[in-house]
Short mmCIF file of all heavy atoms in Angstrom, two decimals:
data_model
loop_
_atom_site.label_atom_id
_atom_site.label_comp_id
_atom_site.label_asym_id
_atom_site.label_seq_id
_atom_site.Cartn_x
_atom_site.Cartn_y
_atom_site.Cartn_z
N MET A 16 13.57 37.61 -2.79
CA MET A 16 14.54 38.21 -1.88
C MET A 16 15.22 37.08 -1.10
O MET A 16 14.54 36.35 -0.39
CB MET A 16 13.83 39.19 -0.94
CG MET A 16 14.69 39.79 0.11
SD MET A 16 13.81 40.93 1.22
CE MET A 16 13.29 42.21 0.11
N PRO A 17 16.52 36.93 -1.25
CA PRO A 17 17.22 35.90 -0.49
C PRO A 17 17.15 36.19 1.02
O PRO A 17 17.15 37.34 1.43
CB PRO A 17 18.66 35.98 -0.99
CG PRO A 17 18.70 36.98 -2.07
CD PRO A 17 17.39 37.69 -2.11
N ASN A 18 17.08 35.15 1.80
CA ASN A 18 17.05 35.29 3.27
C ASN A 18 15.88 36.13 3.76
O ASN A 18 16.03 36.95 4.66
CB ASN A 18 18.37 35.87 3.78
CG ASN A 18 19.55 35.02 3.38
OD1 ASN A 18 19.49 33.80 3.47
ND2 ASN A 18 20.60 35.65 2.92
N ALA A 19 14.71 35.93 3.17
CA ALA A 19 13.53 36.70 3.58
C ALA A 19 13.17 36.39 5.03
O ALA A 19 13.30 35.26 5.49
CB ALA A 19 12.36 36.36 2.67
N ASP A 20 12.71 37.43 5.73
CA ASP A 20 12.21 37.25 7.09
C ASP A 20 10.77 36.77 7.08
O ASP A 20 10.30 36.17 8.05
CB ASP A 20 12.27 38.58 7.86
CG ASP A 20 13.69 39.01 8.15
OD1 ASP A 20 14.59 38.15 8.24
OD2 ASP A 20 13.92 40.24 8.27
N GLY A 21 10.04 37.06 6.00
CA GLY A 21 8.64 36.67 5.94
C GLY A 21 7.99 37.02 4.62
O GLY A 21 8.64 37.52 3.70
N TYR A 22 6.68 36.76 4.58
CA TYR A 22 5.92 36.92 3.34
C TYR A 22 4.57 37.59 3.61
O TYR A 22 3.92 37.30 4.62
CB TYR A 22 5.65 35.54 2.71
CG TYR A 22 6.90 34.74 2.48
CD1 TYR A 22 7.37 33.87 3.46
CD2 TYR A 22 7.61 34.86 1.31
CE1 TYR A 22 8.53 33.14 3.27
CE2 TYR A 22 8.78 34.13 1.10
CZ TYR A 22 9.22 33.27 2.08
OH TYR A 22 10.38 32.55 1.89
N PHE A 23 4.16 38.45 2.70
CA PHE A 23 2.81 39.01 2.68
C PHE A 23 2.07 38.35 1.51
O PHE A 23 2.57 38.34 0.38
CB PHE A 23 2.82 40.52 2.45
CG PHE A 23 3.37 41.32 3.60
CD1 PHE A 23 4.55 42.01 3.47
CD2 PHE A 23 2.67 41.38 4.80
CE1 PHE A 23 5.06 42.77 4.51
CE2 PHE A 23 3.17 42.14 5.86
CZ PHE A 23 4.36 42.82 5.71
N ILE A 24 0.88 37.82 1.76
CA ILE A 24 0.09 37.18 0.72
C ILE A 24 -1.18 38.00 0.48
O ILE A 24 -1.89 38.34 1.43
CB ILE A 24 -0.29 35.74 1.11
CG1 ILE A 24 0.97 34.90 1.28
CG2 ILE A 24 -1.22 35.12 0.06
CD1 ILE A 24 0.73 33.49 1.72
N THR A 25 -1.43 38.29 -0.80
CA THR A 25 -2.63 39.01 -1.20
C THR A 25 -3.39 38.14 -2.20
O THR A 25 -2.80 37.61 -3.14
CB THR A 25 -2.27 40.37 -1.84
OG1 THR A 25 -1.54 41.14 -0.87
CG2 THR A 25 -3.51 41.12 -2.25
N LEU A 26 -4.70 37.98 -1.97
CA LEU A 26 -5.57 37.22 -2.87
C LEU A 26 -6.74 38.09 -3.28
O LEU A 26 -7.35 38.76 -2.44
CB LEU A 26 -6.13 35.97 -2.16
CG LEU A 26 -5.14 34.94 -1.63
CD1 LEU A 26 -5.86 33.90 -0.80
CD2 LEU A 26 -4.40 34.29 -2.77
N GLY A 27 -7.07 38.04 -4.57
CA GLY A 27 -8.21 38.83 -5.04
C GLY A 27 -8.85 38.22 -6.27
O GLY A 27 -8.29 37.31 -6.89
N THR A 28 -9.98 38.74 -6.66
CA THR A 28 -10.69 38.27 -7.84
C THR A 28 -10.42 39.15 -9.05
O THR A 28 -10.98 38.95 -10.11
CB THR A 28 -12.21 38.19 -7.58
OG1 THR A 28 -12.66 39.46 -7.11
CG2 THR A 28 -12.53 37.13 -6.53
N THR A 29 -9.55 40.15 -8.88
CA THR A 29 -9.08 40.99 -9.97
C THR A 29 -7.56 41.09 -9.86
O THR A 29 -7.02 40.92 -8.75
CB THR A 29 -9.68 42.41 -9.92
OG1 THR A 29 -9.30 43.02 -8.68
CG2 THR A 29 -11.20 42.38 -10.03
N PRO A 30 -6.84 41.35 -10.96
CA PRO A 30 -5.39 41.48 -10.86
C PRO A 30 -5.01 42.54 -9.82
O PRO A 30 -5.53 43.65 -9.83
CB PRO A 30 -4.97 41.90 -12.27
CG PRO A 30 -6.05 41.37 -13.15
CD PRO A 30 -7.31 41.49 -12.34
N ARG A 31 -4.15 42.16 -8.90
CA ARG A 31 -3.68 43.01 -7.79
C ARG A 31 -4.81 43.41 -6.83
O ARG A 31 -4.65 44.31 -6.02
CB ARG A 31 -2.92 44.22 -8.29
CG ARG A 31 -1.72 43.82 -9.15
CD ARG A 31 -0.63 44.86 -9.14
NE ARG A 31 0.48 44.44 -9.97
CZ ARG A 31 1.51 43.68 -9.57
NH1 ARG A 31 1.54 43.23 -8.35
NH2 ARG A 31 2.48 43.36 -10.39
N GLY A 32 -5.95 42.72 -6.93
CA GLY A 32 -7.05 42.96 -6.00
C GLY A 32 -6.78 42.31 -4.65
O GLY A 32 -5.95 41.41 -4.53
N SER A 33 -7.48 42.76 -3.63
CA SER A 33 -7.28 42.23 -2.27
C SER A 33 -8.61 41.97 -1.58
O SER A 33 -8.71 42.05 -0.37
CB SER A 33 -6.44 43.21 -1.45
OG SER A 33 -7.10 44.47 -1.37
N ASP A 34 -9.64 41.65 -2.37
CA ASP A 34 -10.96 41.46 -1.79
C ASP A 34 -11.10 40.15 -1.00
O ASP A 34 -12.05 39.99 -0.24
CB ASP A 34 -12.06 41.57 -2.85
CG ASP A 34 -11.82 40.68 -4.06
OD1 ASP A 34 -10.70 40.69 -4.60
OD2 ASP A 34 -12.76 39.99 -4.47
N ILE A 35 -10.16 39.22 -1.15
CA ILE A 35 -10.20 37.97 -0.38
C ILE A 35 -9.23 38.04 0.80
O ILE A 35 -9.58 37.69 1.93
CB ILE A 35 -9.89 36.76 -1.27
CG1 ILE A 35 -10.96 36.62 -2.35
CG2 ILE A 35 -9.80 35.48 -0.43
CD1 ILE A 35 -10.68 35.55 -3.38
N LEU A 36 -8.02 38.50 0.55
CA LEU A 36 -7.00 38.58 1.59
C LEU A 36 -6.10 39.77 1.26
O LEU A 36 -5.61 39.88 0.13
CB LEU A 36 -6.19 37.28 1.60
CG LEU A 36 -5.32 36.99 2.81
CD1 LEU A 36 -6.17 36.77 4.05
CD2 LEU A 36 -4.50 35.74 2.55
N ASP A 37 -5.89 40.65 2.21
CA ASP A 37 -5.14 41.89 1.95
C ASP A 37 -3.80 41.89 2.68
O ASP A 37 -3.72 42.19 3.87
CB ASP A 37 -5.97 43.09 2.38
CG ASP A 37 -5.36 44.42 1.97
OD1 ASP A 37 -4.38 44.42 1.20
OD2 ASP A 37 -5.87 45.46 2.42
N ALA A 38 -2.73 41.52 1.96
CA ALA A 38 -1.36 41.56 2.48
C ALA A 38 -1.25 40.91 3.86
O ALA A 38 -0.72 41.48 4.80
CB ALA A 38 -0.82 42.98 2.49
N GLU A 39 -1.72 39.67 3.95
CA GLU A 39 -1.65 38.92 5.21
C GLU A 39 -0.20 38.53 5.49
O GLU A 39 0.46 37.90 4.66
CB GLU A 39 -2.51 37.66 5.09
CG GLU A 39 -2.52 36.79 6.31
CD GLU A 39 -3.39 37.33 7.42
OE1 GLU A 39 -4.25 38.19 7.16
OE2 GLU A 39 -3.21 36.87 8.56
N ASP A 40 0.31 38.90 6.65
CA ASP A 40 1.68 38.56 7.04
C ASP A 40 1.67 37.13 7.59
O ASP A 40 1.11 36.87 8.65
CB ASP A 40 2.18 39.55 8.09
CG ASP A 40 3.63 39.35 8.47
OD1 ASP A 40 4.23 38.33 8.06
OD2 ASP A 40 4.17 40.22 9.16
N VAL A 41 2.30 36.22 6.85
CA VAL A 41 2.33 34.82 7.29
C VAL A 41 3.69 34.45 7.88
O VAL A 41 3.98 33.27 8.06
CB VAL A 41 1.95 33.87 6.12
CG1 VAL A 41 0.53 34.11 5.68
CG2 VAL A 41 2.92 33.98 4.97
N GLY A 42 4.49 35.46 8.17
CA GLY A 42 5.79 35.21 8.77
C GLY A 42 6.71 34.47 7.82
O GLY A 42 6.61 34.61 6.60
N ASN A 43 7.57 33.64 8.36
CA ASN A 43 8.53 32.91 7.54
C ASN A 43 8.04 31.50 7.24
O ASN A 43 8.83 30.56 7.19
CB ASN A 43 9.89 32.89 8.25
CG ASN A 43 11.01 32.53 7.29
OD1 ASN A 43 10.85 32.61 6.08
ND2 ASN A 43 12.13 32.10 7.84
N ASN A 44 6.74 31.34 7.08
CA ASN A 44 6.15 30.04 6.74
C ASN A 44 6.08 29.88 5.23
O ASN A 44 5.72 30.82 4.52
CB ASN A 44 4.75 29.92 7.34
CG ASN A 44 4.79 29.94 8.84
OD1 ASN A 44 5.45 29.11 9.44
ND2 ASN A 44 4.11 30.89 9.45
N THR A 45 6.38 28.69 4.75
CA THR A 45 6.32 28.45 3.31
C THR A 45 5.05 27.69 2.91
O THR A 45 4.90 27.30 1.76
CB THR A 45 7.55 27.66 2.83
OG1 THR A 45 7.65 26.46 3.58
CG2 THR A 45 8.82 28.50 3.00
N SER A 46 4.14 27.52 3.85
CA SER A 46 2.82 26.96 3.53
C SER A 46 1.76 27.85 4.17
O SER A 46 2.03 28.56 5.15
CB SER A 46 2.70 25.52 4.03
OG SER A 46 2.80 25.47 5.44
N PHE A 47 0.57 27.80 3.59
CA PHE A 47 -0.49 28.70 4.03
C PHE A 47 -1.84 28.09 3.68
O PHE A 47 -2.04 27.65 2.54
CB PHE A 47 -0.32 30.06 3.32
CG PHE A 47 -1.43 31.03 3.56
CD1 PHE A 47 -1.59 31.65 4.78
CD2 PHE A 47 -2.33 31.34 2.55
CE1 PHE A 47 -2.61 32.54 5.01
CE2 PHE A 47 -3.35 32.23 2.76
CZ PHE A 47 -3.49 32.84 4.00
N ALA A 48 -2.75 28.04 4.63
CA ALA A 48 -4.12 27.56 4.38
C ALA A 48 -4.96 28.75 3.95
O ALA A 48 -5.10 29.72 4.71
CB ALA A 48 -4.69 26.91 5.63
N THR A 49 -5.49 28.69 2.75
CA THR A 49 -6.28 29.81 2.24
C THR A 49 -7.64 29.89 2.92
O THR A 49 -8.17 28.88 3.37
CB THR A 49 -6.51 29.68 0.72
OG1 THR A 49 -7.25 28.49 0.47
CG2 THR A 49 -5.22 29.67 -0.04
N PRO A 50 -8.21 31.08 2.95
CA PRO A 50 -9.58 31.21 3.42
C PRO A 50 -10.51 30.66 2.34
O PRO A 50 -10.06 30.19 1.29
CB PRO A 50 -9.74 32.73 3.56
CG PRO A 50 -8.77 33.31 2.59
CD PRO A 50 -7.62 32.34 2.55
N TYR A 51 -11.81 30.72 2.58
CA TYR A 51 -12.79 30.27 1.60
C TYR A 51 -12.54 30.97 0.26
O TYR A 51 -12.33 32.18 0.22
CB TYR A 51 -14.21 30.59 2.09
CG TYR A 51 -15.24 30.44 1.00
CD1 TYR A 51 -15.71 29.18 0.66
CD2 TYR A 51 -15.70 31.55 0.29
CE1 TYR A 51 -16.64 29.03 -0.36
CE2 TYR A 51 -16.63 31.40 -0.72
CZ TYR A 51 -17.08 30.14 -1.05
OH TYR A 51 -18.00 30.00 -2.05
N LEU A 52 -12.55 30.19 -0.81
CA LEU A 52 -12.42 30.75 -2.16
C LEU A 52 -13.69 30.45 -2.94
O LEU A 52 -14.17 29.32 -2.91
CB LEU A 52 -11.21 30.13 -2.87
CG LEU A 52 -9.85 30.36 -2.22
CD1 LEU A 52 -8.77 29.59 -2.96
CD2 LEU A 52 -9.52 31.84 -2.16
N PRO A 53 -14.25 31.44 -3.62
CA PRO A 53 -15.49 31.22 -4.37
C PRO A 53 -15.28 30.24 -5.52
O PRO A 53 -14.22 30.22 -6.16
CB PRO A 53 -15.85 32.62 -4.88
CG PRO A 53 -14.59 33.42 -4.79
CD PRO A 53 -13.76 32.81 -3.72
N SER A 54 -16.29 29.42 -5.79
CA SER A 54 -16.23 28.42 -6.86
C SER A 54 -16.28 29.08 -8.23
O SER A 54 -16.91 30.11 -8.41
CB SER A 54 -17.41 27.45 -6.74
OG SER A 54 -17.35 26.76 -5.53
N GLY A 55 -15.61 28.45 -9.20
CA GLY A 55 -15.67 28.90 -10.58
C GLY A 55 -15.17 30.32 -10.78
O GLY A 55 -15.70 31.06 -11.60
N THR A 56 -14.15 30.69 -10.05
CA THR A 56 -13.67 32.07 -10.06
C THR A 56 -12.16 32.10 -10.27
O THR A 56 -11.44 31.30 -9.71
CB THR A 56 -14.00 32.76 -8.72
OG1 THR A 56 -15.41 32.67 -8.50
CG2 THR A 56 -13.59 34.22 -8.71
N ARG A 57 -11.68 33.04 -11.08
CA ARG A 57 -10.24 33.24 -11.22
C ARG A 57 -9.76 33.98 -9.97
O ARG A 57 -10.31 35.00 -9.59
CB ARG A 57 -9.90 34.04 -12.47
CG ARG A 57 -8.37 34.26 -12.57
CD ARG A 57 -7.89 34.67 -13.92
NE ARG A 57 -8.13 33.71 -14.98
CZ ARG A 57 -7.39 32.61 -15.23
NH1 ARG A 57 -6.37 32.33 -14.45
NH2 ARG A 57 -7.67 31.84 -16.24
N ILE A 58 -8.72 33.43 -9.34
CA ILE A 58 -8.13 34.00 -8.14
C ILE A 58 -6.72 34.47 -8.50
O ILE A 58 -5.94 33.72 -9.08
CB ILE A 58 -8.06 32.97 -7.00
CG1 ILE A 58 -9.43 32.34 -6.72
CG2 ILE A 58 -7.44 33.58 -5.75
CD1 ILE A 58 -10.48 33.29 -6.22
N TYR A 59 -6.40 35.69 -8.14
CA TYR A 59 -5.07 36.26 -8.39
C TYR A 59 -4.29 36.26 -7.08
O TYR A 59 -4.83 36.60 -6.03
CB TYR A 59 -5.19 37.68 -8.93
CG TYR A 59 -5.84 37.69 -10.30
CD1 TYR A 59 -7.22 37.77 -10.43
CD2 TYR A 59 -5.08 37.60 -11.45
CE1 TYR A 59 -7.82 37.75 -11.68
CE2 TYR A 59 -5.67 37.59 -12.70
CZ TYR A 59 -7.04 37.66 -12.81
OH TYR A 59 -7.62 37.64 -14.05
N VAL A 60 -3.02 35.87 -7.17
CA VAL A 60 -2.16 35.70 -5.99
C VAL A 60 -0.91 36.56 -6.15
O VAL A 60 -0.25 36.53 -7.19
CB VAL A 60 -1.71 34.23 -5.84
CG1 VAL A 60 -0.84 34.06 -4.61
CG2 VAL A 60 -2.90 33.30 -5.81
N LEU A 61 -0.60 37.32 -5.12
CA LEU A 61 0.62 38.12 -5.09
C LEU A 61 1.32 37.83 -3.76
O LEU A 61 0.71 37.94 -2.70
CB LEU A 61 0.31 39.61 -5.20
CG LEU A 61 1.49 40.55 -5.31
CD1 LEU A 61 2.26 40.30 -6.60
CD2 LEU A 61 1.02 41.99 -5.25
N ILE A 62 2.58 37.43 -3.83
CA ILE A 62 3.36 37.15 -2.63
C ILE A 62 4.55 38.10 -2.62
O ILE A 62 5.36 38.09 -3.53
CB ILE A 62 3.84 35.69 -2.58
CG1 ILE A 62 2.63 34.75 -2.60
CG2 ILE A 62 4.70 35.45 -1.34
CD1 ILE A 62 3.00 33.29 -2.71
N ASN A 63 4.61 38.93 -1.59
CA ASN A 63 5.74 39.86 -1.39
C ASN A 63 6.58 39.35 -0.25
O ASN A 63 6.05 39.00 0.81
CB ASN A 63 5.25 41.26 -1.05
CG ASN A 63 4.65 41.97 -2.21
OD1 ASN A 63 3.44 41.89 -2.41
ND2 ASN A 63 5.44 42.67 -2.98
N THR A 64 7.89 39.34 -0.44
CA THR A 64 8.80 38.98 0.65
C THR A 64 9.27 40.25 1.35
O THR A 64 9.23 41.34 0.78
CB THR A 64 10.02 38.21 0.12
OG1 THR A 64 10.73 39.04 -0.81
CG2 THR A 64 9.62 36.93 -0.55
N TYR A 65 9.68 40.07 2.60
CA TYR A 65 10.28 41.20 3.30
C TYR A 65 11.46 40.73 4.12
O TYR A 65 11.54 39.56 4.51
CB TYR A 65 9.25 41.94 4.17
CG TYR A 65 8.65 41.13 5.29
CD1 TYR A 65 9.27 41.04 6.53
CD2 TYR A 65 7.42 40.49 5.14
CE1 TYR A 65 8.71 40.32 7.57
CE2 TYR A 65 6.85 39.76 6.16
CZ TYR A 65 7.50 39.68 7.37
OH TYR A 65 6.94 38.95 8.39
N GLN A 66 12.38 41.64 4.31
CA GLN A 66 13.54 41.41 5.16
C GLN A 66 13.74 42.69 5.96
O GLN A 66 14.06 43.74 5.41
CB GLN A 66 14.78 41.10 4.33
CG GLN A 66 15.97 40.71 5.16
CD GLN A 66 17.14 40.30 4.29
OE1 GLN A 66 17.22 40.66 3.12
NE2 GLN A 66 18.06 39.56 4.87
N GLY A 67 13.48 42.61 7.26
CA GLY A 67 13.48 43.81 8.09
C GLY A 67 12.41 44.75 7.58
O GLY A 67 11.26 44.37 7.41
N SER A 68 12.78 45.98 7.27
CA SER A 68 11.80 46.95 6.74
C SER A 68 11.80 47.00 5.21
O SER A 68 11.07 47.78 4.63
CB SER A 68 12.10 48.35 7.30
OG SER A 68 13.38 48.77 6.88
N LEU A 69 12.61 46.17 4.55
CA LEU A 69 12.67 46.15 3.09
C LEU A 69 11.61 45.22 2.53
O LEU A 69 11.49 44.07 2.95
CB LEU A 69 14.04 45.69 2.61
CG LEU A 69 15.23 46.56 3.00
CD1 LEU A 69 16.53 45.90 2.56
CD2 LEU A 69 15.09 47.95 2.41
N LEU A 70 10.84 45.71 1.57
CA LEU A 70 9.78 44.93 0.92
C LEU A 70 10.18 44.68 -0.52
O LEU A 70 10.66 45.59 -1.21
CB LEU A 70 8.47 45.71 0.97
CG LEU A 70 7.23 45.04 0.41
CD1 LEU A 70 6.89 43.80 1.23
CD2 LEU A 70 6.06 46.00 0.42
N SER A 71 9.98 43.46 -0.99
CA SER A 71 10.31 43.13 -2.38
C SER A 71 9.46 43.97 -3.33
O SER A 71 8.35 44.35 -3.02
CB SER A 71 10.09 41.65 -2.65
OG SER A 71 8.74 41.31 -2.41
N GLU A 72 10.02 44.25 -4.50
CA GLU A 72 9.33 45.10 -5.47
C GLU A 72 8.91 44.38 -6.74
O GLU A 72 7.94 44.75 -7.36
CB GLU A 72 10.23 46.28 -5.85
CG GLU A 72 10.51 47.21 -4.70
CD GLU A 72 11.41 48.37 -5.10
OE1 GLU A 72 11.63 48.56 -6.31
OE2 GLU A 72 11.89 49.07 -4.20
N ASN A 73 9.64 43.38 -7.17
CA ASN A 73 9.38 42.73 -8.45
C ASN A 73 8.71 41.37 -8.28
O ASN A 73 9.22 40.36 -8.72
CB ASN A 73 10.69 42.59 -9.24
CG ASN A 73 11.30 43.93 -9.54
OD1 ASN A 73 10.60 44.85 -9.91
ND2 ASN A 73 12.59 44.03 -9.38
N CYS A 74 7.55 41.36 -7.65
CA CYS A 74 6.84 40.11 -7.41
C CYS A 74 6.01 39.73 -8.63
O CYS A 74 5.47 40.59 -9.32
CB CYS A 74 5.95 40.24 -6.19
SG CYS A 74 6.90 40.57 -4.72
N VAL A 75 5.90 38.44 -8.86
CA VAL A 75 5.14 37.94 -10.00
C VAL A 75 3.69 37.71 -9.57
O VAL A 75 3.43 37.10 -8.52
CB VAL A 75 5.76 36.63 -10.52
CG1 VAL A 75 4.91 36.03 -11.61
CG2 VAL A 75 7.18 36.87 -10.99
N LEU A 76 2.77 38.19 -10.37
CA LEU A 76 1.35 37.95 -10.14
C LEU A 76 0.98 36.63 -10.80
O LEU A 76 1.26 36.43 -11.98
CB LEU A 76 0.53 39.10 -10.74
CG LEU A 76 -0.98 39.01 -10.57
CD1 LEU A 76 -1.35 39.16 -9.09
CD2 LEU A 76 -1.66 40.09 -11.39
N SER A 77 0.40 35.73 -10.04
CA SER A 77 -0.05 34.43 -10.55
C SER A 77 -1.55 34.34 -10.41
O SER A 77 -2.16 35.11 -9.66
CB SER A 77 0.59 33.29 -9.76
OG SER A 77 1.99 33.34 -9.86
N SER A 78 -2.15 33.39 -11.12
CA SER A 78 -3.59 33.20 -10.99
C SER A 78 -3.95 31.74 -11.24
O SER A 78 -3.17 30.99 -11.83
CB SER A 78 -4.35 34.11 -11.95
OG SER A 78 -4.14 33.72 -13.29
N PHE A 79 -5.12 31.38 -10.76
CA PHE A 79 -5.68 30.05 -11.01
C PHE A 79 -7.19 30.20 -10.95
O PHE A 79 -7.73 31.21 -10.48
CB PHE A 79 -5.18 29.04 -9.98
CG PHE A 79 -5.56 29.36 -8.56
CD1 PHE A 79 -6.73 28.87 -8.00
CD2 PHE A 79 -4.73 30.16 -7.78
CE1 PHE A 79 -7.07 29.18 -6.68
CE2 PHE A 79 -5.05 30.46 -6.47
CZ PHE A 79 -6.23 29.97 -5.92
N THR A 80 -7.90 29.20 -11.45
CA THR A 80 -9.36 29.21 -11.42
C THR A 80 -9.85 28.07 -10.55
O THR A 80 -9.41 26.92 -10.73
CB THR A 80 -9.94 29.09 -12.84
OG1 THR A 80 -9.46 30.18 -13.63
CG2 THR A 80 -11.47 29.13 -12.82
N THR A 81 -10.73 28.38 -9.61
CA THR A 81 -11.30 27.35 -8.74
C THR A 81 -12.34 26.57 -9.54
O THR A 81 -12.91 27.06 -10.51
CB THR A 81 -11.95 27.98 -7.50
OG1 THR A 81 -12.93 28.93 -7.90
CG2 THR A 81 -10.91 28.65 -6.62
N GLU A 82 -12.57 25.34 -9.12
CA GLU A 82 -13.57 24.49 -9.80
C GLU A 82 -14.96 24.81 -9.32
O GLU A 82 -15.15 25.38 -8.24
CB GLU A 82 -13.27 23.01 -9.54
CG GLU A 82 -12.01 22.54 -10.22
CD GLU A 82 -11.82 21.04 -10.08
OE1 GLU A 82 -12.64 20.37 -9.45
OE2 GLU A 82 -10.82 20.54 -10.60
N GLY A 83 -15.94 24.40 -10.11
CA GLY A 83 -17.33 24.56 -9.74
C GLY A 83 -17.98 25.74 -10.44
O GLY A 83 -17.34 26.45 -11.20
N GLN A 84 -19.22 25.91 -10.19
CA GLN A 84 -20.00 26.99 -10.78
C GLN A 84 -20.02 28.20 -9.85
O GLN A 84 -20.17 28.04 -8.64
CB GLN A 84 -21.44 26.54 -11.04
CG GLN A 84 -21.56 25.41 -12.04
CD GLN A 84 -21.10 25.84 -13.41
OE1 GLN A 84 -21.39 26.94 -13.85
NE2 GLN A 84 -20.36 24.99 -14.09
N PRO A 85 -19.87 29.40 -10.40
CA PRO A 85 -20.01 30.58 -9.55
C PRO A 85 -21.45 30.69 -9.06
O PRO A 85 -22.37 30.20 -9.71
CB PRO A 85 -19.62 31.72 -10.47
CG PRO A 85 -19.84 31.22 -11.84
CD PRO A 85 -19.64 29.72 -11.79
N PRO A 86 -21.67 31.33 -7.92
CA PRO A 86 -23.04 31.51 -7.45
C PRO A 86 -23.83 32.39 -8.41
O PRO A 86 -23.27 33.27 -9.06
CB PRO A 86 -22.86 32.19 -6.08
CG PRO A 86 -21.49 32.73 -6.09
CD PRO A 86 -20.69 31.94 -7.06
N PRO A 87 -25.13 32.14 -8.54
CA PRO A 87 -25.94 32.95 -9.46
C PRO A 87 -26.09 34.38 -8.97
O PRO A 87 -26.07 34.65 -7.77
CB PRO A 87 -27.29 32.24 -9.47
CG PRO A 87 -27.33 31.51 -8.17
CD PRO A 87 -25.90 31.15 -7.84
N ASP A 88 -26.21 35.31 -9.91
CA ASP A 88 -26.49 36.70 -9.55
C ASP A 88 -27.94 36.79 -9.08
O ASP A 88 -28.84 36.22 -9.70
CB ASP A 88 -26.29 37.63 -10.74
CG ASP A 88 -24.82 37.73 -11.14
OD1 ASP A 88 -23.97 37.57 -10.25
OD2 ASP A 88 -24.55 37.97 -12.31
N ILE A 89 -28.15 37.52 -8.02
CA ILE A 89 -29.53 37.67 -7.49
C ILE A 89 -29.95 39.10 -7.63
O ILE A 89 -29.25 40.01 -7.45
CB ILE A 89 -29.60 37.22 -6.01
CG1 ILE A 89 -29.24 35.74 -5.92
CG2 ILE A 89 -30.97 37.49 -5.44
CD1 ILE A 89 -29.23 35.20 -4.52
#
């Protein structure tokens, strides 16, 4: 969305999941320090822009995998 007023960031361990961060409003900042991310895990990222009360609809879902071993199941 051109001239966005801000961004909502969602992070999860499943596509479109929000178990790490749920639509955090980071304002009009183009950088963001992530919270703790689990090791050896695929993280899915969705960034929605907004302008006033309008929310973007066609956002691209991206993903990456953190380094390290996931914690063992107990």
Side-chain angles (χ1 to χ4, degrees):
M16 175 180 297
N18 302 317
D20 291 333
Y22 305 90
F23 290 113
I24 298 178
T25 300
L26 300 172
T28 54
T29 60
R31 302 206 180 273
S33 60
D34 52 311
I35 297 174
L36 195 66
D37 188 9
E39 180 77 18
D40 185 350
V41 297
N43 197 18
N44 296 303
T45 56
S46 63
F47 173 72
T49 62
Y51 167 79
L52 299 175
S54 298
T56 304
R57 179 163 298 280
I58 306 296
Y59 295 88
V60 181
L61 185 64
I62 300 174
N63 287 91
T64 60
Y65 63 86
Q66 186 176 21
S68 62
L69 298 175
L70 183 64
S71 60
E72 295 180 12
N73 298 318
C74 298
V75 175
L76 181 67
S77 300
S78 68
F79 61 91
T80 301
T81 56
E82 291 187 359
Q84 297 295 319
D88 292 331
I89 298 178

